[in-house]
Amino acid sequence: MSTYHTGPQSTVIYQADPAVVQHLHGVRESLHQSCKPYLNHQVKVQTIDGQMHEGTIAGMDSKHLYLTVTVTTDMGRGYYNPYYKPYPGPGYPGPGYPYPVNNNVILPLVLFELLAISLI
């Protein structure tokens, strides 16, 4: 049994030009081919917005470059780990608080926003 939408036709607000879509597929393929040999290498990444990130290429998929970055205490608030339990239990805040945490986080970067990737 099929279900059909019988209401009014939806209005298209934006539709990408097929030539642009084809070009973006080529850019994505080029990024994959360029970055694949450098998995687990230290890199500096610049986005089209001018942001700079330093880290290790942890992986890639069809939309993202995954960069492992080390979070310092100064910037820790920008990277929230929902699994980190800051309250150790009875006696809070007892000796040794805060417990040591893994300061490495994975930062997903959208492929189409990357301007430059260089080895460091």
Side-chain angles (χ1 to χ4, degrees):
M1 179 173 143
S2 298
T3 304
Y4 294 98
H5 179 56
T6 58
Q9 191 74 354
S10 61
T11 303
V12 176
I13 296 173
Y14 171 78
Q15 185 169 354
D17 182 304
V20 171
V21 173
Q22 185 176 4
H23 177 72
L24 290 175
H25 280 290
V27 169
R28 180 170 61 192
E29 182 63 29
S30 174
L31 275 166
H32 276 270
Q33 294 305 317
S34 298
C35 293
K36 192 184 297 185
Y38 298 103
L39 283 175
N40 300 314
H41 282 74
Q42 292 282 323
V43 294
K44 183 184 291 188
V45 177
Q46 181 180 2
T47 67
I48 60 174
D49 297 327
Q51 294 180 338
M52 300 291 284
H53 303 283
E54 288 187 11
T56 303
I57 297 177
M60 292 179 65
D61 62 20
S62 63
K63 296 178 180 84
H64 298 93
L65 171 79
Y66 297 99
L67 195 67
T68 302
V69 296
T70 300
V71 179
T72 63
T73 55
D74 297 342
M75 56 191 273
R77 300 194 103 185
Y79 302 97
Y80 173 69
N81 179 356
Y83 301 107
Y84 172 56
K85 305 284 190 239
Y87 306 106
Y92 166 78
Y97 179 83
Y99 292 131
V101 295
N102 184 353
N103 290 335
N104 292 331
V105 296
I106 301 223
L107 179 65
L109 298 171
V110 177
L111 288 179
F112 297 120
E113 292 198 2
L114 303 183
L115 181 62
I117 302 171
S118 51
L119 293 173
I120 54 175

